[in-house]
Amino acid sequence: APTAGGGDGGEELKFISSEAIVGTCMVMEKIFIRIQQMPNPDTVRPERVLVKWAERLKAKYESEEADYEWIADQFKAVRQDMVIQHIKNGHTVAIYESNARIALLEDDLGEFYKIQSYLMNLYKEVDEGDRQNQCEFLAYRIFYWLVYNNAADLMKEIKNMTLEQKRDPSVSHALRVHAALDLHDYDTFFRLYAQTPSLGRCIAKHMRDKLRLRTLRVVLRSYKPTIPFTDLRRKLGFKGADALDTLLG
C-alpha cells in the first residue's frame, strides 16, 4: 500500500526566505543531512555540478547500478543544494521531474508528494518553455488526491486549472477517471485504467486494487448464482486468467 505524503516539502521550503549563497563544492556525491542553518559555500555544489550529478543519478537508476534508497538520498541532497542557492530554472524543473518519476516507479508516494508539491510552485516561477510537462504532473496530482480520497484538495486543484490544462490529454483522462469513480462506473474506470498515459498507473493501480475488491462483491451479489469466468475477468479489468485466480484465492 502507498504511504501518504505529509506537509509541503519541508526540506525544500525551509530556506526559501534566506539569502542565497553560491556553492563552490566540486564533489558530486553528497549524502542528505538536515541542516538547521545556512551552510558554508564550500559544502554546497554549484548548479553545473548538480545538473551533471542528477543526470548521472538518473542513468544509475535506469541501469540498476545503484539501489533506490541511495538514489533517493542523493536526489534529496541535490534538491537541498538547489533550494539553498535559490536556483529556479529549467534545470531545476528537469531534476525535480526526474526525481518524481523515479519515486513513482518505486511506489514511493510519500517522497513523490514532497517533490511534486515543490514542483507545482516551481512551475509558476519558470519560463513557459520550462513547463512543458506540467500537465503530466497535474494528472498525477489528480490521481494522488483520488487515491487518498482528498476531495477538498482535488476540487481546489480542478478549480485552479485553466481550460487549456483541462483539455490536455493526460489531465482530461485523469478527470474522466475522477468522473467514473464519482458515478461508481467501474466498467468505465477499468477501461480508462488500461489507457492511462505516462506513469499514471503507478498511482492509479492503488485505486484499481481497491475497486476490484469492491466490484467483485457487487458483481457476485448481482449475478447470483453464477457468472461466467470470462465476464468476471472483463468486468474487473484483468487481461489474463492467472491474476483473477489469485484474487479469488
Side-chain angles (χ1 to χ4, degrees):
T3 302
D8 50 6
E11 293 89 8
E12 277 78 9
L13 299 177
K14 188 181 292 182
F15 297 104
I16 287 295
S17 60
S18 305
E19 185 178 343
I21 64 172
V22 178
T24 59
C25 176
M26 303 307 290
V27 178
M28 287 193 173
E29 184 174 342
K30 175 183 169 184
I31 63 171
F32 172 76
I33 300 173
R34 280 189 169 81
I35 53 179
Q36 301 303 319
Q37 58 188 17
M38 291 299 284
N40 289 326
D42 59 5
T43 65
V44 178
R45 296 158 293 181
E47 181 177 353
R48 65 184 182 279
V49 174
L50 295 171
V51 170
K52 190 176 291 186
W53 185 230
E55 289 172 354
R56 288 197 190 176
L57 289 174
K58 183 182 175 186
K60 284 176 182 289
Y61 177 78
E62 290 172 348
S63 65
E64 299 183 351
E65 186 182 329
D67 63 40
Y68 173 64
E69 189 175 347
W70 181 83
I71 294 280
D73 182 79
Q74 290 296 310
F75 263 114
K76 262 187 174 181
V78 168
R79 282 158 30 208
Q80 186 181 66
D81 279 1
M82 288 203 133
V83 170
I84 288 168
Q85 298 173 91
H86 294 196
I87 302 170
K88 297 179 180 180
N89 55 32
H91 287 145
T92 320
V93 169
I95 287 171
Y96 272 78
E97 288 176 345
S98 291
N99 195 180
R101 291 189 186 105
I102 290 172
L104 282 182
L105 288 167
E106 291 294 321
D107 205 22
D108 189 352
L109 295 194
E111 189 67 7
F112 167 77
Y113 178 82
K114 294 175 188 175
I115 298 165
Q116 60 84 37
S117 291
Y118 186 81
L119 183 58
M120 286 297 145
N121 289 318
L122 197 56
Y123 283 135
K124 298 173 186 175
E125 301 188 43
V126 297
D127 296 335
E128 187 176 351
D130 298 323
R131 300 197 297 265
Q132 294 177 355
N133 299 319
Q134 184 176 9
C135 285
E136 174 193 346
F137 283 88
L138 279 173
Y140 297 156
R141 202 164 159 89
I142 292 170
F143 285 151
Y144 183 91
W145 298 136
L146 288 172
V147 167
Y148 290 107
N149 296 315
N150 191 331
D153 282 327
L154 174 60
M155 297 316 295
K156 191 189 304 180
E157 197 76 51
I158 295 171
K159 183 180 177 182
N160 290 335
M161 285 180 189
T162 65
L163 188 58
E164 185 180 0
Q165 287 172 336
K166 290 178 182 177
R167 287 174 174 168
D168 175 86
S170 295
V171 175
S172 173
H173 173 272
L175 291 174
R176 280 180 285 141
V177 168
H178 168 46
L181 290 173
D182 252 10
L183 296 170
H184 303 287
D185 184 351
Y186 303 147
D187 284 346
T188 298
F189 171 84
F190 289 122
R191 177 174 53 78
L192 289 170
Y193 175 80
Q195 301 166 0
T196 304
S198 305
L199 298 179
R201 285 195 200 186
C202 294
I203 312 176
K205 67 183 179 184
H206 297 290
M207 291 183 275
R208 177 205 64 189
D209 293 345
K210 290 179 186 175
L211 272 182
R212 275 181 172 159
L213 291 172
R214 194 179 305 164
T215 305
L216 179 61
R217 289 194 293 268
V218 171
V219 168
L220 291 179
R221 281 200 305 267
S222 304
Y223 286 82
K224 284 182 179 179
T226 61
I227 178 175
F229 189 83
T230 52
D231 289 354
L232 182 59
R233 190 177 69 194
R234 179 180 54 78
K235 283 186 175 294
L236 297 180
F238 286 111
K239 290 183 177 179
D242 291 347
L244 179 52
D245 281 340
T246 302
L247 179 66
L248 295 174

